[in-house]
Amino acid sequence: MQFNEQVALITGAGSGIGKAAAVAFGRAGARVAALGRTASELKQTVDEIAQAGGQAMPVVADIAKPDEMRQAAEQVAQRWGRIDIVFANAGINGVWAPIEELKPEEWQRTIDINLTGTFLTIKYAVPYLKRNGGSVIVTASVNGTRIFSNTGATAYSCTKAAQVAMAKMLALELAPQKVRVNVICPGAIETNIDENTERRDLEHVRIPVEYPKGSQPLTGGQPGSAEQVADLVLFLASDQASHITGTEMWIDGAESLLRG
């Protein structure tokens, strides 16, 4: 899979899945716009791509803020004249708590970042994608799509289910312009997303279930890697997936089939 001269805009590119995808796209010849909120993390991603002989630029922006995301898309287009691939990956787990304890502002923050952030990322990139066709990949989750047993993850799961609906709507809307829109649904992956997760009083509402051999049957209970997810993202962005759109793909080692 080669992406020579193509431009890939990747959100959440400072760490985890976003960083792994950014590095993989850079190695495959794409010019990478690494977007995130932390300049120091983005610098590390961009430096790693450059050291491997690729081209990359950092884009500091908050995906939940319309003006910043509009300016981000313009910044990328001014630098390279196009956007061909969008990986709308940034998101948070937010607060996981019983519904009566989940504060409205905690609910809203998760909605703003995960759902509105995905909307803004795609919205401001679409005018550039339409020029030559392209690919959008959205990071959803097993939660809200196949798994509903993570009690307390209501806000998070709702945003992930809504991302799938958004992708299906946009896949049809953008098909005449040759823009494909797909969704990945990772399960347990070795990233630092748990650092922005607050779990509160879940022992009172969670139904206990034990998986003595782990909940990832394919790997003996071990989580997947960010690089494995990046491989899927590159496939969906490539010409090898040229007839795939409006589709969600689970990458979880069968976790969601076991735990759903």
Side-chain angles (χ1 to χ4, degrees), residues 29-48:
R31 294 172 287 183
V32 177
L35 188 147
R37 291 187 295 181
T38 306
S40 58
E41 289 184 344
L42 297 178
K43 183 179 185 302
Q44 292 178 0
T45 300
V46 169
D47 287 348
E48 187 169 337

Side-chain angles (χ1 to χ4, degrees), residues 63-247:
I63 62 168
K65 295 182 178 179
D67 287 344
E68 293 189 16
M69 291 308 293
R70 176 181 53 79
Q71 292 169 6
E74 291 174 353
Q75 182 181 346
V76 176
Q78 288 170 0
R79 170 76 177 269
W80 285 315
R82 58 192 295 167
I83 298 175
D84 304 282
I85 299 160
V86 173
F87 182 28
N89 164 74
I92 60 169
N93 274 351
V95 176
W96 292 19
I99 188 66
E100 67 270 28
E101 296 183 25
L102 185 64
K103 299 174 184 178
E105 58 269 25
E106 294 168 341
W107 163 274
Q108 193 61 53
R109 181 170 181 264
T110 304
I111 299 294
D112 288 346
I113 294 174
N114 290 0
L115 186 55
T116 303
T118 299
F119 161 72
L120 294 174
T121 300
I122 300 172
K123 172 183 173 62
Y124 291 115
V126 156
Y128 305 103
L129 290 167
K130 284 182 174 181
R131 293 178 183 177
N132 302 298
S135 177
V136 176
I137 301 101
V138 176
T139 298
S141 173
V142 292
N143 291 293
T145 58
R146 273 185 176 171
I147 291 179
F148 297 90
S149 55
N150 277 329
T151 308
T154 306
Y156 178 77
S157 294
C158 285
T159 63
K160 297 294 137 178
Q163 284 177 316
V164 173
M166 183 191 301
K168 291 177 183 288
M169 292 293 296
L170 294 178
L172 192 57
E173 177 181 334
L174 300 175
Q177 287 78 39
K178 309 301 181 187
V179 177
R180 298 182 296 105
V181 186
N182 291 293
V183 187
I184 62 169
C185 301
I189 305 295
E190 292 181 336
T191 70
N192 61 1
I193 193 170
D194 278 346
E195 293 178 6
N196 58 45
T197 307
E198 179 183 341
R199 293 177 173 87
R200 195 167 63 226
D201 297 328
L202 295 176
E203 64 275 6
H204 304 303
V205 292
R206 179 162 290 162
I207 299 173
V209 179
E210 293 186 7
Y211 303 97
K213 294 184 179 180
S215 57
Q216 291 80 32
L218 187 64
T219 58
Q222 297 302 310
S225 70
E227 288 73 21
Q228 287 173 312
V229 181
D231 287 341
L232 175 58
V233 174
L234 262 67
F235 165 71
L236 289 172
S238 75
D239 290 341
Q240 292 173 295
S242 61
H243 205 53
I244 301 174
T245 193
T247 298

